[in-house]
Amino acid sequence: MPATETKSTHVSATGWFELYPLRFRFATCKLREFSPNTVRGAFGSALRRIDPDSYRRWFVPVAGGPSGLADPPRPLVFRLVGPLEVGLNLFVTREPAVELFTRVMAELGTIESVEGTDRLRLPLAASRDPVSRIRVRFLTPTELKGAERPEFGVLMARIRDRISTLRALYGTGPLEIDFKAFGERAGRVRMSRCELAEVTAERVSRRTGQRHSIGGFTGAAEYEGNLAEFLPYLEIARWTGVGRQTVWGKGEIVYEAF
């Protein structure tokens, strides 16, 4: 039976994923190079000077965490929106943090304007309209642990886990869904096309001098199946990123139904 005729009997997730889609436009900037990695590094240094406790809580690796995480995800993702314009997607919603993060960003240069200070709520519930084909574009190098290709089951498992962990650490709590059943349904979606390019890149830590790979794949993949349930998660992943090292600008995706 075609995917568009298959009916799903599972109960769709309810609730929201919340964030602050902060956007900073600078009149002048102190950074010589304007990239997600240099912005992240300068932001971390400024946060450590202004509020060492918040730096330790939200920016440096912390051993332990939910489900034994050795390195919990940071509550922020940087995006370069345009010349001298930085997006900072902030996932801390359980306590006030916008003012602090804005004050830290002001250490990077002269801020001309700030947008996105109102909380954005993205629904987890699926649309009632059936969707059978989508295209996902991987805009920045993406690295999915344990997978060389973004098979849909793997991609959705990483997105699901990241969303749940961010909510548990910084928001309204972990996802209240059947993780196994969700993964099984995602695993039944077929990849119909995949055009990827491998990107080799690295960063050098100014603190330790160590080199770290920040490469991965870019490109696009197309999928076919019962997809309506997964679109809210893909929409949230536009803001959170997916995979390893998202705080360095990796794992930025967009999707479209067709």
Side-chain angles (χ1 to χ4, degrees):
M1 180 179 291
T4 53
E5 297 179 14
T6 302
K7 295 183 179 179
S8 175
T9 58
H10 75 275
V11 178
S12 178
T14 59
W16 309 84
F17 183 86
E18 299 179 323
L19 72 145
Y20 292 98
L22 301 172
R23 296 294 179 267
F24 299 91
R25 183 175 291 108
F26 288 90
T28 60
C29 183
K30 300 176 183 178
L31 302 180
R32 293 182 179 179
E33 179 188 353
F34 208 59
S35 70
N37 187 41
T38 57
V39 170
R40 182 207 65 85
F43 179 92
S45 297
L47 179 61
R48 182 169 51 188
R49 292 194 307 270
I50 291 173
D51 191 331
D53 289 339
S54 292
Y55 175 80
R56 286 189 291 270
R57 288 178 59 201
W58 292 334
F59 204 80
V60 296
V62 179
S67 303
L69 287 174
D71 189 5
R74 305 299 175 268
L76 70 162
V77 165
F78 291 103
R79 296 281 186 258
L80 295 190
V81 183
L84 296 183
E85 190 170 355
V86 177
L88 193 168
N89 299 335
L90 176 61
F91 311 126
V92 178
T93 58
R94 273 206 301 252
E95 55 188 290
V98 171
E99 182 179 347
L100 170 62
F101 278 65
T102 300
R103 185 152 50 99
V104 174
M105 287 296 288
E107 294 292 305
L108 277 60
T110 303
I111 294 178
E112 187 176 276
S113 64
V114 182
E115 299 178 356
T117 56
D118 291 330
R119 188 177 303 190
L120 176 63
R121 305 181 76 197
L122 302 171
L124 286 160
S127 167
R128 293 182 179 274
D129 297 328
V131 177
S132 61
R133 298 179 66 193
I134 63 170
R135 179 182 297 112
V136 177
R137 298 187 185 277
F138 301 90
L139 303 180
T140 61
T142 301
E143 186 179 356
L144 303 178
K145 185 178 179 180
E148 295 182 0
R149 283 166 32 110
E151 298 291 347
F152 196 74
V154 174
L155 176 65
M156 290 311 304
R158 300 296 176 267
I159 290 174
R160 173 204 63 198
D161 293 350
R162 178 161 167 75
I163 291 172
S164 188
T165 303
L166 287 172
R167 278 180 35 128
L169 291 173
Y170 310 114
T172 57
L175 294 173
E176 296 180 354
I177 61 172
D178 186 328
F179 278 49
K180 181 180 179 181
F182 180 98
E184 290 173 348
R185 292 191 295 274
R188 291 195 286 269
V189 173
R190 182 175 70 91
M191 179 190 287
S192 57
R193 186 177 180 183
C194 185
E195 296 183 356
L196 303 176
E198 195 68 24
V199 176
T200 301
E202 65 179 15
R203 63 176 288 272
V204 179
S205 172
R206 290 195 299 178
R207 184 171 61 88
T208 65
Q210 291 182 320
R211 295 180 178 272
H212 302 276
S213 171
I214 53 173
F217 59 80
T218 58
E222 296 177 2
Y223 305 97
E224 296 183 3
N226 295 312
L227 290 157
E229 169 189 8
F230 306 108
L231 298 192
Y233 291 82
L234 288 165
E235 177 62 23
I236 293 169
R238 287 205 312 115
W239 300 89
T240 65
V242 61
R244 301 185 67 240
Q245 301 168 329
T246 53
V247 75
W248 291 335
K250 292 176 60 174
E252 182 178 359
I253 68 169
V254 294
Y255 80 94
E256 58 183 334
F258 65 101

